[in-house]
Amino acid sequence: MKLLNKKSDQELVQAYVKGEERALQVLLERYKTKIYTSIYHQVKDQYLAEDIFQETFIKVINTLKAGRYNDEGKFLPWVMRIAHNMVIDHFRREKRAPNVVNNDGFDIFEVLPFSDDSVEMKMVKDQRDVDLKKIIQLLPDDQKEVLIMRLFCDMSFKDIADITEVSINTALGRMRYALSNLRKMIEENNMMFQLG
């Protein structure tokens, strides 16, 4: 297993296709948190996210075993695209649009520095968090999606572009619009936040 851990994604995929079952386990361990987090932030349900995560890897396994994977050394974006499509399929079946962010969903506030020196400061922070979550809800879905992938999955704009099947410039533009729209809404509501 140690030797497998040092292999690149591409080498692991090739090893798995040649029958080395543990190679897929290494890939899964390497990326399961990012993939699961991305799914969870879109569906907002732990059990549903786990189901979609499992369905994603069943599809990955079937595609690899059938020899249909194009070996371009882009394993994570490929799996994230499969997961993203699985989420979309789920919402199509449910006949409702995905709600990428909600009040008990992801927590943007863990990445925003804020001091918790006192009970008063904590109350202010909690209210700020609630207010900001409400504002994020008002963003268009494509902007919310890029914001989540960038801030919470720590994904590059290239990977985001690959997964959402848009150009890098479009992904960058969506992030820029998301931050711009958040700033405008915060100013309109006279809220005190600082967005990077």
Side-chain angles (χ1 to χ4, degrees):
M1 196 72 130
K2 271 192 171 180
L3 290 174
L4 286 174
N5 283 333
K6 294 182 180 181
K7 290 187 181 284
S8 69
D9 293 355
Q10 187 174 2
E11 291 169 324
L12 288 169
V13 167
Q14 289 170 353
Y16 178 70
V17 169
K18 290 176 182 167
E20 178 63 65
E21 296 289 326
R22 292 179 303 156
L24 185 67
Q25 185 181 341
V26 172
L27 282 167
L28 178 61
E29 287 296 319
R30 194 174 280 176
Y31 296 120
K32 69 180 179 185
T33 302
K34 280 187 178 184
I35 297 164
Y36 176 82
T37 301
S38 173
I39 295 168
Y40 178 79
H41 288 317
Q42 294 176 68
V43 300
K44 297 294 177 252
D45 179 289
Q46 176 186 346
Y47 300 109
L48 178 58
E50 288 170 6
D51 286 348
I52 292 174
F53 179 83
Q54 288 176 358
E55 288 173 26
T56 298
F57 267 87
I58 289 168
K59 185 158 188 165
V60 166
I61 289 166
N62 290 338
T63 304
L64 291 175
K65 289 201 177 214
R68 293 193 316 262
Y69 173 69
N70 294 334
D71 197 32
E72 299 170 3
K74 297 177 182 174
F75 181 77
L76 178 62
W78 175 66
V79 176
M80 293 291 275
R81 188 166 36 251
I82 291 172
H84 180 73
N85 290 339
M86 292 286 201
V87 169
I88 289 170
D89 289 347
H90 165 76
F91 285 112
R92 280 189 187 132
R93 285 193 302 270
E94 293 288 314
K95 293 190 168 73
R96 61 187 175 94
N99 189 8
V100 178
V101 179
N102 72 12
N103 286 344
D104 23 288
F106 80 89
D107 196 355
I108 191 171
F109 319 103
E110 290 179 16
V111 298
L112 296 175
F114 200 84
S115 173
D116 276 341
D117 294 338
S118 67
V119 173
E120 286 176 18
M121 292 299 278
K122 181 166 180 9
M123 289 173 59
V124 168
K125 177 188 178 293
D126 289 347
Q127 184 58 50
R128 182 202 67 184
D129 292 357
V130 168
D131 293 344
L132 188 54
K133 284 179 183 180
K134 286 178 183 171
I135 289 175
I136 289 170
Q137 275 298 95
L138 301 174
L139 288 174
D141 287 342
D142 58 348
Q143 293 175 21
K144 282 191 279 191
E145 182 178 50
V146 170
L147 193 74
I148 288 169
M149 288 180 177
R150 183 72 181 142
L151 296 179
F152 297 95
C153 299
D154 196 29
M155 295 178 67
S156 71
F157 283 106
K158 180 172 184 348
D159 289 346
I160 293 169
D162 287 345
I163 290 162
T164 57
E165 298 178 341
V166 298
S167 70
I168 292 177
N169 286 340
T170 299
L172 286 165
R174 287 177 181 173
M175 184 68 169
R176 188 172 58 249
Y177 285 125
L179 293 175
S180 174
N181 286 334
L182 283 175
R183 282 190 186 100
K184 280 183 206 161
M185 289 186 279
I186 288 167
E187 287 168 11
E188 287 168 7
N189 290 289
N190 295 319
M191 293 179 192
M192 297 173 63
F193 297 111
Q194 286 188 323
L195 294 172

